Amino acid sequence: LAKTTQPISMDSYEGQEVNITCSHNNIATNDYITWYQQFPSQGPRFIIQGYKTKVTNEVASLFIPADRKSSTLSLPRVSLSDTAVYYCLVPMLSSGSARQLTFGSGTQLTVLP
Amino acid sequence: DAGVTQSPTHLIKTRGQQVTLRCSPKSGHDTVSWYQQALGQGPQFIFQYYEEEERQRGNFPDRFSGHQFPNYSSELNVNALLLGDSALYLCASSGRGGNTDTQYFGPGTRLTVL
């Protein structure tokens, strides 16, 4: 069964770096890994996307090892407004060669003052 | 440039009824995906539409059906509603189905089944 796993929750203090890892046991070969941020009662908001190695944009970095069985979202110097649920979205192989877009279980990040 | 829009924002139905939710994709996008998000859980993939056809489907019963129109907008239909269908229904749009396409989400429709 295709499955993604994330820590349920994490706490951090303002100004610290936060790393959230998603494990995916059956990722489709040629597809990208995407991370989203979601606030209560809102749709997920795109953060970053990558295929392998390291990707960086103005808000985050994404680290993907060579086997692509996991990915780590890194948020530098978090602030109170970064308190949200963070999801990885991974195209997983289901029956046969079919791909199924699969969200991770989500990580509730709480940033403390 | 309008992002993904969904209507209605909230909806209350009773068991056994049918519901139709609507989605307009982001400008320039032609692929629409639908997700169900129960309270406290991650979004679950329902299906994806491209060129007016269902291209991928998640583990949802046939009570869940959809449609995509020539202007790329989409509808999600749910028949014979159950209490367990209460959830936030999210629509996401993306470009021409490539492996690098990023999905952009709408604000969702909150469906409550009584």
Side-chain angles (χ1 to χ4, degrees):
Chain A
L1 177 66
K3 185 178 178 182
T4 60
T5 304
Q6 298 178 231
I8 294 174
S9 64
M10 297 181 72
D11 289 343
S12 180
Y13 290 97
E14 281 190 289
Q16 289 188 328
E17 178 185 74
V18 171
N19 296 307
I20 306 174
T21 296
C22 173
S23 299
H24 19 86
N25 64 346
N26 201 21
I27 184 173
T29 305
N30 297 318
D31 286 327
Y32 280 58
I33 299 161
T34 312
W35 281 79
Y36 291 86
Q37 177 193 56
Q38 188 177 30
F39 297 109
S41 297
Q42 295 186 22
R45 185 176 74 95
F46 171 81
I47 301 174
I48 196 167
Q49 183 183 58
Y51 179 76
K52 61 180 179 181
T53 64
K54 177 182 176 182
V55 178
T56 298
N57 62 19
E58 62 277 8
V59 298
S61 294
L62 180 60
F63 301 90
I64 303 170
D67 65 7
R68 296 184 6 102
K69 292 187 182 297
S70 67
S71 58
T72 299
L73 172 72
S74 180
L75 303 172
R77 299 179 298 282
V78 294
S79 63
L80 296 177
S81 62
D82 292 322
T83 294
V85 179
Y86 291 83
Y87 291 98
C88 58
L89 175 61
V90 181
M92 304 286 278
L93 294 173
S94 59
S95 58
S97 60
R99 293 162 60 245
Q100 183 166 323
L101 295 167
T102 304
F103 269 90
S105 47
T107 299
Q108 171 66 58
L109 172 65
T110 302
V111 180
L112 305 169
Chain B
D1 175 25
V4 180
T5 59
Q6 293 186 242
S7 64
T9 55
H10 295 85
L11 202 53
I12 299 175
K13 293 285 188 178
T14 57
R15 282 181 299 174
Q17 286 189 311
Q18 178 265 344
V19 68
T20 297
L21 311 181
R22 296 175 176 82
C23 171
S24 292
K26 183 178 171 64
S27 178
H29 286 180
D30 58 10
T31 302
V32 173
S33 302
W34 287 92
Y35 295 81
Q36 179 195 66
Q37 185 174 28
L39 198 61
Q41 297 184 21
Q44 299 293 314
F45 175 69
I46 302 175
F47 42 54
Q48 183 180 79
Y49 276 84
Y50 171 65
E51 292 189 338
E52 302 180 50
E53 291 190 358
E54 183 182 292
R55 185 165 64 172
Q56 296 180 47
R57 189 178 182 94
N59 298 322
F60 280 80
D62 293 343
R63 298 188 297 110
F64 290 78
S65 63
H67 187 77
Q68 185 178 35
F69 299 94
N71 66 353
Y72 308 122
S73 67
S74 177
E75 288 182 349
L76 164 66
N77 301 293
V78 187
N79 294 323
L81 285 167
L82 304 174
L83 296 179
D85 294 331
S86 294
L88 181 68
Y89 287 85
L90 296 163
C91 169
S93 73
S94 55
R96 200 171 284 274
N99 293 336
T100 61
D101 285 343
T102 300
Q103 296 199 22
Y104 291 90
F105 285 80
T109 293
R110 173 70 64 187
L111 171 64
T112 301
V113 182
L114 303 176

